[in-house]
Amino acid sequence: EPEVTQTPSHQVTQMGQEVILRCVPISNHLYFYWYRQILGQKVEFLVSFYNNEISEKSEIFDDQFSVERPDGSNFTLKIRSTKLEDSAMYFCASSVSTGTSGNTIYFGEGSWLTVV
Amino acid sequence: RKEVEQDPGPFNVPEGATVAFNCTYSNSASQSFFWYRQDCRKEPKLLMSVYSSGNEDGRFTAQLNRASQYISLLIRDSKLSDSATYLCVVNHKDSNYQLIWGAGTKLIIKP
């Protein structure tokens, strides 16, 4: 079964450093997402990406964050100047179409980021 | 008021029992409804969509009550492997159809 893959599975970084989280969405999917889940809290939407541009972003997704699709397969989330409160599990996800039709969103296994 | 509210639990249930939990949502224009399952430190996985007429998938039954703005999940003949956190998820036009997540209900099935 096709799956969304994410790397790294776990990263520890010092406060103020830049982090890049990588994702390979399912190959025929057109919509890509990043979500965040702080330990013990709910899943939070960060950003959606379609046709090589951001289609939607939440209040969390400020200038500290950026996304990129550098080639035909990878989808990256960059966090500049990390803060302690950025420590969370970051999930990449993809779907064939948007959520308007209740289309299934498939999640990667997540990248656990610890900022120290 | 939270957009999607769930009882955090945990619900401690003996194996073989039936368990049900609800989720309430605040936006009456919510359009799509889902139950996701999340194991500890794992990614959420879609358990089932919830349709207006209610729907069943094996031991799992989901119901939607638009008038009272809640959805429910019923698990019959619970298995040890059902132990997980169950996430209620909705979307609506105001969120541009992005998924809005509840904090989850933790279920523990005991032998």
Side-chain angles (χ1 to χ4, degrees):
Chain A
E1 183 179 329
E3 58 182 20
V4 176
T5 58
Q6 290 186 241
T7 54
S9 57
H10 189 187
Q11 182 163 351
V12 180
T13 190
Q14 288 197 326
M15 195 167 52
Q17 295 297 303
E18 177 181 281
V19 163
I20 297 176
L21 305 179
R22 291 182 169 80
C23 169
V24 179
I26 296 174
S27 61
N28 65 330
H29 286 189
L30 301 177
Y31 293 81
F32 316 124
Y33 312 86
W34 282 102
Y35 289 85
R36 178 182 84 173
Q37 188 174 30
I38 296 170
L39 186 62
Q41 298 187 22
K42 65 178 182 178
V43 176
E44 298 174 295
F45 167 74
L46 292 179
V47 65
S48 61
F49 193 87
Y50 170 72
N51 199 25
N52 286 319
E53 60 182 25
I54 291 173
S55 52
E56 193 70 32
K57 61 181 181 179
S58 71
E59 292 176 351
I60 303 169
F61 194 87
D62 59 21
D63 292 342
Q64 184 194 8
F65 295 90
S66 62
V67 288
E68 198 176 38
R69 188 156 164 82
D71 53 43
S73 59
N74 289 284
F75 178 51
T76 63
L77 174 68
K78 183 188 290 186
I79 309 175
R80 285 182 283 275
S81 189
T82 49
K83 305 189 285 277
L84 294 176
E85 54 264 38
D86 293 328
S87 295
M89 180 76 94
Y90 289 82
F91 292 109
C92 176
S94 68
S95 63
V96 172
S97 61
T98 67
T100 54
S101 60
N103 189 66
T104 301
I105 293 178
Y106 294 85
F107 285 80
E109 293 188 340
S111 294
W112 183 249
L113 176 65
T114 303
V115 182
V116 296
Chain B
R1 183 184 171 186
K2 293 178 185 175
E3 282 218 61
V4 179
E5 292 205 62
Q6 297 183 249
D7 182 339
F11 284 49
N12 290 284
V13 173
E15 189 176 8
T18 295
V19 60
F21 24 84
N22 290 341
C23 158
T24 59
Y25 58 93
S26 61
N27 191 321
S28 59
S30 294
Q31 182 160 327
S32 300
F33 308 89
F34 312 92
W35 284 104
Y36 276 75
R37 172 203 166 117
Q38 187 175 30
D39 293 293
C40 188
R41 300 208 179 198
K42 297 286 188 181
E43 75 276 23
K45 291 185 178 178
L46 180 65
L47 179 65
M48 57 197 304
S49 301
V50 186
Y51 302 120
S52 296
S53 55
N55 48 299
E56 188 175 304
D57 183 1
R59 297 182 293 109
F60 299 85
T61 301
Q63 297 278 353
L64 168 64
N65 185 317
R66 285 192 182 272
S68 300
Q69 294 181 208
Y70 75 83
I71 66 173
S72 63
L73 179 67
L74 179 82
I75 306 174
R76 288 181 297 278
D77 186 25
S78 53
K79 313 289 185 193
L80 295 176
S81 57
D82 293 334
S83 297
T85 296
Y86 290 83
L87 307 174
C88 173
V89 186
V90 308
N91 71 13
H92 49 69
K93 187 178 178 182
D94 293 343
S95 70
N96 287 317
Y97 302 104
Q98 296 305 329
L99 300 180
I100 301 169
W101 299 74
T105 296
K106 186 169 184 177
L107 175 65
I108 300 171
I109 305 299
K110 300 195 168 182

